[in-house]
Amino acid sequence: MDDVSVVDYHTAGEPFRIVTSVEIPGTSVADRRVVAQSSEAIDAVRRLLVNEPRGHADMYGGFVVPGDDDGADFGVVFWHKDGYSTACGHGTIALATWAVESGLVQVAADGETDVVIDVPSGRVVARVSCAGGSVVSVAFRNVPSYVLSRGVQVPTARGEVLADISYGGAFYASVLASSVGLSVTPACYADLIAIGREIKWALDAVAVHPHDPRLSGLYGTILYDDLGPAHQRNLAVFADGEADRSPCGSGTSARLALLYNEGRLRTGEVLRHDSIVGTTFLGRVVEETPEGVITEITGTAYRTGTATFTLDPRDALGTGFTLR
């Protein structure tokens, strides 16, 4: 395997590792995701970058690929420790920041610039705000978000749980943390992962996309605390027990769809969505469409470093391992 160079960012505490050197064939980003899932050579790069000793069980990243057409600045195939996701809000914020800071997308020193990114679930537009030549924040408008089902009963080790399933580019099951005797705090971290993992796998087959089977499957469980009007704190437990350190961008869209559907949040009203580490995304519904609601999520990302990773052919650990 050739050496792999990366640029690392974090968005609200959640890592995002950007790779531009991996070519993935396909006519669309959704097709390229399927190719990556089935290609041993491409997946070996994912494993190299996400597994220990070069990564960790909560690492996240993406392969930058061409967009679906000339209307996009670029596309991205998202990955995590267990495979490839259909959407990633924190990654979208990191990629838009990187695109501006690297010069891939030209912007004025002051003002707003749209960065158009094709992801497996569709096209998202990230509006990058700059001041004094620096990125101040990124607000991205997601693919339509909607409610799939409510009050789904799930038998768990903590008793029967009621979950609401919604879509924000990926499917999530939302569960009030107090209903399973927990709160979204670091003290409950291990227990939150355990119950989130259990619920995710119990409901995985329930989350069926109405138009594209490639987008089916429950991506994660959102355990949340209700902190008052338009203020919640959450932990998204996705893939197989991976925990989002950020408030979760696509998960925030999924939460907004539920709150809008309940009448608890009107168009334009802002949800403050906090993470388990105390970082914040701001989310709002900007319009209603026949497919669902269009949401806008605002956050910040910061570059944390660059690296070139090597696989020594003598290394018996190969592309590494994961301890979870």
Side-chain angles (χ1 to χ4, degrees), residues 199-251:
I199 293 167
K200 179 259 193 303
W201 288 119
L203 295 179
D204 188 50
V206 175
V208 177
H209 195 276
H211 309 300
D212 190 343
R214 295 172 299 183
L215 304 178
S216 293
L218 192 76
Y219 181 56
T221 304
I222 297 175
L223 295 131
Y224 68 95
D225 293 337
D226 219 337
L227 303 179
H231 186 191
Q232 296 189 342
R233 179 173 57 225
N234 86 97
L235 179 69
V237 181
F238 62 94
D240 188 21
E242 193 162 345
D244 199 328
R245 278 88 171 108
S246 82
C248 186
S250 56

Side-chain angles (χ1 to χ4, degrees), residues 283-320:
R284 64 189 182 107
V285 172
V286 295
E287 65 176 297
E288 187 174 354
T289 72
E291 296 80 22
V293 293
I294 302 300
T295 62
E296 182 179 84
I297 314 300
T298 302
T300 54
Y302 301 96
R303 182 170 166 171
T304 58
T306 60
T308 299
F309 292 103
T310 297
L311 177 58
D312 190 317
R314 302 167 299 171
D315 186 349
L317 286 177
T319 55

Side-chain angles (χ1 to χ4, degrees), residues 8-81:
D8 280 358
Y9 277 74
H10 86 83
T11 306
E14 177 74 357
F16 194 78
R17 182 160 281 173
I18 299 170
V19 186
T20 60
S21 59
V22 174
E23 294 185 3
I24 306 174
T27 58
S28 69
V29 173
D31 288 342
R32 295 177 203 274
R33 174 176 176 259
V34 174
V35 170
Q37 289 173 312
S38 60
S39 168
E40 171 59 29
I42 294 169
D43 197 58
V45 180
R46 177 193 66 82
R47 297 195 306 270
L48 181 82
L49 298 177
V50 76
N51 287 343
E52 296 183 52
R54 300 166 189 86
H56 54 77
D58 294 286
M59 179 55 72
Y60 210 111
F63 299 131
V64 176
V65 297
D68 293 353
D69 57 47
D70 292 340
D73 291 300
F74 56 90
V76 59
V77 174
F78 297 118
W79 46 257
H80 48 71
K81 79 177 181 69

